[in-house]
Amino acid sequence: MKKDLLKLLDLSKEDIVSILNTADQLKYETKHNIHKDYLKGKTLAMIFEKNSTRTRVSFETGMYQLGGHALFLSGKESQIGRGEPIEDTARVLDRYCDGIMIRTFAQEEVERLAQYTQIPVINGLTDFCHPCQVLADLLTIREHRAALEGLKMCYIGDGNNMANSLIVGGLKMGMEVSVACPEGYDPDQQVLDFAKGSPEHKFSLFRTPKEAAAGADVMITDVWASMGQEEEKAVRVKAFQGYQINEELMALTNSGCMVQHCLPAHRGEEITAGVFEAHAEEIFDEAENRLHAQKAVMYLLMKEEEQ
Ligand code: CP
Ligand code: NVA
C-alpha cells in the first residue's frame, strides 16, 4: 500500500521517530557535503492554494538536494482555480509525477486527493493541521534538548492548525502538553478527543496563559488570524488580548525554556519583539529544519526499495 502524510493522527510514535532519525541523517549528510541522489528522476508536484515562503522553498530545495525535481502549481493559475475537481487533478498528476505536496483549505480535499492517487500525498498545511511544520518543531526541540519525553510543551493562542498538530505530535512523543486559548477558539474536537484518550500523557486546556506556561520547557505560539481568516482579523485581535508570549509569561517557565514559532510572526501580537529576538536562533533553526524534516518525509515516502 502507498503511504501518505496527511495528518499526525495517522502516525505512530515509531513513524515519527523514524522521520526524525532520517532527518538527522540527511541533515548530517548535507552539512558534510555528502550528496546522494536518493530521489533521482523523481518529480514532486506542489499545489498551493494559499501563500507560502518556507514550505515552497524548503520542498523545492529539498527535492533538488535529493536529486529530484519539484514543480510549483498555483491553485489560481492551474485548472483547480477554475473548478476542475480534485479527483481529476489527482488522477492526472498520478500519471506524471511521483509525489504531491498540497497546501489548501479543507483537510477533506487532501484526504480525497490521496484517495484518488497511487503516489504519496503530503499535507503542506490545511485549516485542520500542519504536520510538516510540527515534525520540524519536534526535530528542533529534540536537537536542543536531546530528548522529547517528559518535556512540557505550552501553546498559547488560537486553537488552529498549528495547535492541532502540536497537541497530537507532542502527546505522541511523550511530552506534556498545555494549551491556553480564549473561549470559542479551542483546538479541533477530534484533537481534543485524541488528547483525552491518551491518559499516559498529560494534556491540559486553560483559559489563562499563566496557568498553561507554568513550568514549561518550550513555549509556542502562532498568528491570531490564519490564512483565510483575514476578514476576522479585527475581532480576533480583540479576542486574543492577553494571549501573548511576553517577558512576564516567560518568567513563569523553566530555566532554559525554548521558544518556537512556525512563522510568519506578528511582533506585538502573539509574541513580543523582545522574546522573539531573544529566541531567534531557536526559531530560525526551526525554520531550517523544515528542509531536513521534509527531505526525510520525501525520502521515506518516495524512495524506491533497494532490489
Ligand atoms: N511556517 C510555514 O508554513 O511557513 P510558510 O507559510 O511561509 O510556508
Ligand atoms: N496558522 C497559520 C500557519 C501559517 C504557517 C495559517 O494557517 O495561516
Side-chain angles (χ1 to χ4, degrees), residues 40-55:
K40 192 173 181 343
K42 305 266 182 206
T43 300
L44 178 78
M46 307 189 298
I47 304 172
F48 281 93
E49 298 201 72
K50 288 175 175 173
N51 290 24
S52 171
T53 297
R54 281 145 287 270
T55 305

Side-chain angles (χ1 to χ4, degrees), residues 166-219:
L166 284 165
I167 294 168
V168 175
L171 290 175
K172 286 204 182 217
M173 293 309 294
M175 299 176 85
E176 181 182 341
V177 180
S178 68
V179 171
C181 308
E183 215 172 329
Y185 296 94
D186 284 351
D188 191 274
Q189 193 55 47
Q190 203 187 337
V191 168
L192 294 178
D193 290 344
F194 164 79
K196 257 190 247 145
S198 53
E200 70 271 27
H201 307 308
K202 290 189 204 125
F203 172 74
S204 351
L205 177 62
F206 297 103
R207 294 289 170 228
T208 53
K210 283 185 180 167
E211 282 177 287
D217 298 298
V218 52
M219 295 291 287

